[in-house]
Amino acid sequence: MAGIGESLLLVAFCGSCTFLTTISLSAIATNGAMKGGGPYYLIGRALGPEVGVSIGLCFFLGNAVAGALYVLGAVETFLNAVPSAGLFRETVTRVNGTAVAEPITAPSLHDLQIYGIIVTIILCFIVFGGVKMINRVAPAFLIPVLFSLVCIFMGILLARKDKPAVGITGLSTKSFKENWSSDYQNTNNAGIPDPDGKIYWNFHGLVGLFFPAVTGIMAGSNRSASLKDTQRSIPIGTLAATLTTSVLYIISVLFFGALATREKLLTDRLLTATVAWPFPAIIYIGIILSTLGAALQSLTGAPRLLAAIANDDILPVLNYFRVADGSEPYVATLFTAFLCIGCVVIGNLDLITPTVTMFYLLCYAGVNLSCFLLDLLDAPSWRPRWKFHHWSLSLLGASLCIVIMFLISWSFTVVALALASLIYYYVSIKGKAGDWGDGFKSAYFQLALRSLRSLGASQVHPKNWYPIPLIFCRPWGKLPENVPCHPKLADFANFMKKKGRGMSIFVSILDGDYHERAEDAKEACKALSTYIDYKRCEGVAEIVVAPSMSDGFRGIVQTMGLGNLKPNIVVMRYPEIWRRENLTEIPATFVGIINDCIVANKAVVIVKGLDEWPNEYQRQYGTIDLYWIVRDGGLMLLLSQLLLTKESFESCKIQVFCIAEEDSDAEELKADVRKFLYDLRMQAEVIVISMKSWDAKAEQQDESVDAFAGAQQRISSYLSGMKERAQEEGTPLMADGKPVVFNEQQVEKFLFTTLKLNSTILKYSRMAAVVLVSLPPPPLNHPAYFYMEYMDLLVENVPRLLIVRGYRRDVVTLFT
């Protein structure tokens, strides 16, 4: 139908696809030892287990269906050679396009089904005999095929006009010219030309019909586990076979195009047998043995492929097909035979071939993409012995595969891709994790490096700012041994991300010597990573060994992260237990950490009332109250907006309390803040509270006054102890190992200011879902103990509080 010209194009087109795939296959197969599974093993190790299993299962189906294709071909040839063997009435069709209407017989569908099932069962028994039996049987299939090829070409050279049959012209230029152009026609379901046939053939359809003729290139790699030297056998054997068959196809097109009239070519379904010398029976035997040999290869390769996928233990559902090393995959063989028999029952070659083609092309595209990715990334481990390869050839091969798929049938292509995608999705959900060092990991690594370089070292614009919290896991309190991080701290890390986007770094510090505790650190890091995954936090775990918590944190805050992917917010729990358990070392450590964050230009978020912090299922009502005292770059506002995006807080409303001096214009300030919030696209109610920085005579809440009196008394006692030590030792006032200079009136001022703020919070926000307040920086030259007293007074009786300190830059912007 296609004529000589388009037939040559067809052979070249399909041959180029398999030739390029063979080059890619040779490169991957020679990059290290190869286990069983053939193309599945290659694709899986290059593109990851999900892609490997999805394409591998599709290729398995392709092989199983191809077995049915070859069995039907053998049976159809047998019934054409021996019509009397048919059990049912034959179909008779008159052919169009002929000068004289000549009847053509086609075997009955039921005959094809019955004989096909019998042949499949016989082949299955041979496969059960193992690879050794198949290797013994192989020459019996190969030698008659080669002999029949010689007989065909001898017959072509000896043919004369109307000899050995009417319509044979012998090799003639006239026939060559007449047959050069195409003459597409309709056929019936049996593939026989018929003017009333429902199937119209064109070049696209013939690509699908012919492509199975070039799909044997994986036969060697399918049996990779049985090969003595895969790195030598696969490239040489596959390339030699590809080139040999392609040359034979081209010669056949030229010879047959010049041998007979178009009518004869269309009507004689087995023209090779008609022209063969000395008699046609040789060709019938050759075709039957050739197709049976191909079916045997399919029934041998497909079960081993399925067993290899099962043995990798990625999909638990395939465990039935697992086999021990060196054993025959009997269960997989039975399953393959069952699928093959199912396709034989369909009985239509023209319907089966496009299905086979799609699965094969999907596999070839996978091999080409694997080689393309590995070649392009050029990782140090990519050192194939086969040197004749390039990423551009692999990309061209993959593109040809996709083009051929859509040329044949876009609907079959969509179905094949959908099936592969479904398997991929199923494997990604149900499959067990398998780290095979695939190419995608290298690609992610290269992409991460490129992205990191493109971010640069300059400051990130507020529009592109993401919170990267450094979660300080070391709790100020006790946790069970198997819980490496406070669970509510992990929940809070997720609250700081919008729709889960962003990264958290979970850090814990082990006290001790690094050389002695290196193994402990590895175990702790592994446990913390597992816990982060369990809490569904996107983040990484880091464990640092240091002589003390202060030293460890100072190292972390200086070095953690890369480029602009450094943590920008330090999140930790407020040490509520320090006085209750008399932990005198906590104030110095706590103040040291805050000072380190200020020097390193990190924002700080301290969570008070962590045990009462809601999880993702506990819905909160009321307000989120912000006490905006100092400019923090909008961090407090941004945190409140991030909280609103979570289900727990989505029913809440934001209130912004602006603390102003008594003599300032409250209404003007309120208008300014409202305008600012409007420009930031943030919904919030603004409340201005006027107060003096400190006023000893102001009315206070009773509970706050008691806390204030207690703080005053403790500070006086601590100060007396400092003075006594200083007099005894004859040194200036010392605290936390360094001299301190402060004014007692200044200490009192700090206490009163903190007391006033605490009273205001209790007055307006006692029922708030969460309160956010600015973190006062530790005063210079004040003892850490004093600062802890100020902080305790600030958080007194407030059940859930976030103490926030921004850093010297904006994290929100007014501009689009």
Side-chain angles (χ1 to χ4, degrees):
M1 286 189 184
I4 295 169
E6 289 191 19
S7 293
L8 289 172
L9 179 65
L10 179 67
V11 173
F13 189 53
C14 296
S16 301
C17 178
T18 49
F19 179 72
L20 292 169
T21 304
T22 302
I23 290 174
S24 299
L25 175 70
S26 302
I28 306 175
T30 57
N31 188 51
M34 207 178 141
K35 292 183 182 177
Y40 154 74
Y41 181 83
L42 301 177
I43 295 168
R45 267 57 179 181
L47 300 181
E50 293 90 354
V51 179
V53 171
S54 56
I55 292 181
L57 286 175
C58 286
F59 190 57
F60 160 74
L61 286 173
N63 270 292
V65 176
L69 168 76
Y70 300 133
V71 167
L72 284 173
V75 172
E76 188 176 328
T77 307
F78 169 71
L79 291 173
N80 277 330
V82 190
S84 59
L87 303 174
F88 297 88
R89 191 170 60 83
E90 295 172 336
T91 305
V92 179
T93 307
R94 294 192 175 275
V95 181
N96 68 323
T98 54
V100 180
E102 183 180 341
I104 295 180
T105 59
S108 166
L109 174 65
H110 299 304
D111 283 338
L112 290 173
Q113 292 167 337
I114 291 167
Y115 280 104
I117 291 168
I118 293 167
V119 170
T120 306
I121 292 169
I122 293 168
L123 290 174
C124 193
F125 276 112
I126 297 173
V127 173
F128 265 93
V131 175
K132 288 185 179 178
M133 180 179 281
I134 294 162
N135 289 340
R136 284 180 194 146
V137 173
F141 290 106
L142 181 62
I143 292 167
V145 171
L146 294 174
F147 181 65
S148 63
L149 280 172
V150 172
C151 293
I152 289 169
F153 285 108
M154 287 284 290
I156 289 171
L157 296 172
L158 295 171
R160 295 290 178 267
K161 187 170 176 60
D162 293 333
K163 287 185 182 180
V166 176
I168 302 291
T169 61
L171 293 174
S172 83
T173 53
K174 182 184 176 186
S175 297
F176 189 89
K177 288 175 183 175
E178 287 175 354
N179 292 330
W180 178 262
S181 58
S182 60
D183 182 17
Y184 294 109
Q185 299 185 35
N186 287 31
T187 68
N188 62 14
N189 288 332
I192 297 171
D194 182 356
D196 300 321
K198 294 179 181 177
I199 302 171
Y200 177 75
W201 289 93
N202 52 23
F203 185 78
H204 303 171
L206 290 182
V207 171
L209 190 69
F210 177 74
F211 198 85
V214 294
T215 53
I217 64 169
M218 296 293 180
S221 61
N222 279 345
R223 294 161 66 183
S224 53
S226 307
L227 295 174
K228 188 177 180 182
D229 184 0
T230 53
Q231 298 194 38
R232 184 179 178 278
S233 303
I234 289 177
I236 294 173
T238 311
L239 268 175
T242 304
L243 293 172
T244 304
T245 48
S246 297
V247 169
L248 268 174
Y249 291 147
I250 290 169
I251 292 172
S252 299
V253 169
L254 295 171
F255 274 27
F256 281 102
L259 178 68
T261 62
R262 193 182 297 272
E263 288 79 12
K264 185 65 177 171
L265 290 168
L266 279 168
T267 55
D268 195 337
R269 301 268 285 177
L270 283 167
L271 184 64
T272 49
T274 305
V275 300
W277 180 89
F279 40 81
I282 294 171
I283 306 309
Y284 286 111
I285 294 167
I287 292 173
I288 291 167
L289 290 176
S290 171
T291 46
L292 288 178
L296 195 61
Q297 290 288 358
S298 293
L299 290 173
T300 305
R304 281 161 177 74
L305 179 60
L306 185 59
I309 297 171
N311 282 350
D312 277 333
D313 198 22
I314 300 295
L315 272 185
V317 76
L318 298 179
N319 285 345
Y320 301 106
F321 304 113
R322 294 178 71 173
V323 292
D325 288 342
S327 303
E328 291 296 321
Y330 295 121
V331 179
T333 303
L334 281 174
F335 183 65
T336 307
F338 177 76
L339 286 178
C340 189
I341 288 170
C343 293
V344 164
V345 170
I346 296 171
N348 188 340
L349 283 171
D350 296 337
L351 188 65
I352 292 172
T353 48
T355 314
V356 176
T357 304
M358 290 304 161
F359 291 138
Y360 274 98
L361 281 167
L362 203 59
C363 178
Y364 294 174
V367 170
N368 281 305
L369 285 173
S370 302
C371 189
F372 164 71
L373 186 66
L374 294 170
D375 237 340
L376 197 65
L377 295 171
D378 202 16
S381 60
W382 176 244
R383 300 185 304 277
R385 294 180 189 275
W386 180 260
K387 302 298 180 188
F388 305 102
H389 61 92
H390 192 264
W391 64 264
S392 58
L393 293 176
S394 300
L395 183 60
L396 179 62
S399 304
L400 269 177
C401 291
I402 303 299
V403 167
I404 291 172
M405 285 176 78
F406 279 100
L407 271 179
I408 294 166
S409 168
W410 68 265
S411 54
F412 272 107
T413 303
V414 169
V415 169
L417 291 173
L419 179 63
S421 302
L422 280 172
I423 298 171
Y424 179 93
Y425 183 66
Y426 181 75
V427 174
S428 60
I429 293 174
K430 298 287 186 182
K432 295 180 182 177
D435 186 8
W436 295 342
D438 55 83
F440 279 132
K441 296 288 190 302
S442 295
Y444 297 150
F445 179 75
Q446 296 282 358
L447 188 63
L449 285 179
R450 189 161 295 182
S451 301
L452 197 59
R453 286 198 299 269
S454 67
L455 279 174
S458 59
Q459 285 191 341
V460 177
H461 193 277
K463 281 190 290 186
N464 308 119
W465 188 87
Y466 280 86
I468 305 178
L470 187 145
I471 312 297
F472 193 29
C473 296
R474 177 75 170 260
W476 309 103
K478 299 290 183 183
L479 281 177
E481 273 190 31
N482 60 339
V483 182
C485 175
H486 195 295
K488 295 297 178 71
L489 210 51
D491 290 335
F492 184 73
N494 277 337
F495 275 93
M496 295 181 72
K497 298 172 191 171
K498 189 175 182 181
K499 296 180 181 176
R501 298 190 189 102
M503 181 181 75
S504 304
I505 300 173
F506 290 79
V507 173
S508 195
I509 298 169
L510 293 184
D511 294 338
D513 180 75
Y514 177 65
H515 289 256
E516 294 174 0
R517 303 208 63 185
E519 289 303 315
D520 294 342
K522 287 177 187 175
E523 288 298 317
C525 190
K526 189 176 178 182
L528 185 53
S529 294
T530 306
Y531 191 73
I532 291 168
D533 292 338
Y534 164 71
K535 293 294 289 182
R536 292 184 294 179
C537 296
E538 277 192 10
V540 293
E542 294 288 347
I543 302 292
V544 174
V545 179
S548 68
M549 191 191 296
S550 298
D551 292 338
F553 187 83
R554 191 161 296 162
I556 288 166
V557 86
Q558 290 180 76
T559 59
M560 191 66 70
L562 288 169
N564 263 331
L565 281 182
K566 287 185 176 177
N568 46 33
I569 302 176
V570 174
V571 179
M572 57 183 168
R573 181 185 190 180
Y574 184 77
E576 298 164 58
I577 63 162
W578 78 279
R579 185 180 293 113
R580 187 171 70 241
E581 298 191 13
N582 197 27
L583 300 173
T584 53
E585 79 282 357
I586 283 184
T589 305
F590 183 71
V591 172
I593 288 172
I594 293 173
N595 282 326
D596 288 344
C597 292
I598 292 170
V599 172
N601 198 25
K602 308 287 185 193
V604 182
V605 176
I606 300 169
V607 188
K608 192 260 179 181
L610 187 65
D611 293 331
E612 289 78 40
W613 190 263
N615 61 33
E616 57 186 314
Y617 307 109
Q618 293 172 323
R619 188 173 287 273
Q620 303 297 301
Y621 298 94
T623 58
I624 298 173
D625 290 355
L626 280 66
Y627 285 82
W628 201 5
I629 301 167
V630 295
R631 177 177 167 79
D632 64 355
L635 179 61
M636 203 186 292
L637 286 168
L638 189 65
L639 282 176
S640 65
Q641 292 295 319
L642 289 172
L643 289 176
L644 281 185
T645 63
K646 305 298 175 184
E647 284 186 26
S648 301
F649 289 99
E650 66 182 3
S651 301
C652 298
K653 292 182 180 178
I654 296 175
Q655 292 185 147
V656 177
F657 292 86
C658 297
I659 311 297
E661 291 287 343
E662 268 186 347
D663 53 357
S664 62
D665 189 338
E667 287 303 316
E668 187 181 345
L669 176 61
K670 189 173 184 177
D672 287 345
V673 174
R674 274 183 174 169
K675 176 69 167 61
F676 179 65
L677 293 174
Y678 177 79
D679 289 340
L680 285 175
R681 293 91 62 207
M682 293 182 179
Q683 297 281 339
E685 184 182 349
V686 179
I687 300 167
V688 176
I689 298 172
S690 298
M691 61 180 275
K692 285 187 177 180
S693 55
W694 71 290
D695 185 357
K697 296 174 184 176
E699 288 185 17
Q700 311 294 346
Q701 301 278 345
D702 290 342
E703 52 199 337
S704 298
V705 170
D706 292 342
F708 173 76
Q712 264 187 329
Q713 187 179 351
R714 285 190 296 271
I715 284 177
S716 296
S717 174
Y718 188 85
L719 187 56
S720 300
M722 284 171 59
K723 287 177 178 176
E724 285 177 14
R725 281 197 304 273
Q727 285 175 354
E728 286 173 8
E729 296 170 7
T731 58
L733 286 178
M734 299 283 288
D736 310 319
K738 57 185 179 183
V740 290
V741 180
F742 59 89
N743 184 317
E744 288 186 40
Q745 189 181 5
Q746 192 182 26
V747 173
E748 192 176 0
K749 180 180 176 180
F750 271 112
L751 278 173
F752 272 117
T753 306
T754 311
L755 170 66
K756 181 68 177 175
L757 183 56
N758 175 260
S759 299
T760 306
I761 293 171
L762 291 177
K763 181 179 178 181
Y764 292 101
S765 304
R766 189 179 286 272
M767 302 303 292
V770 62
V771 176
L772 289 84
V773 66
S774 300
L775 172 71
L780 292 173
N781 301 321
H782 280 224
Y785 182 87
F786 287 11
Y787 183 72
M788 285 304 299
E789 288 290 354
Y790 307 150
M791 292 298 295
D792 273 2
L793 189 54
L794 175 65
V795 304
E796 184 74 23
N797 296 315
V798 184
R800 199 181 292 154
L801 186 71
L802 297 182
I803 314 166
V804 181
R805 178 180 174 81
Y807 54 107
R808 297 187 296 272
R809 52 157 311 169
D810 289 329
V811 297
V812 292
T813 177
L814 305 176
F815 303 104
T816 301

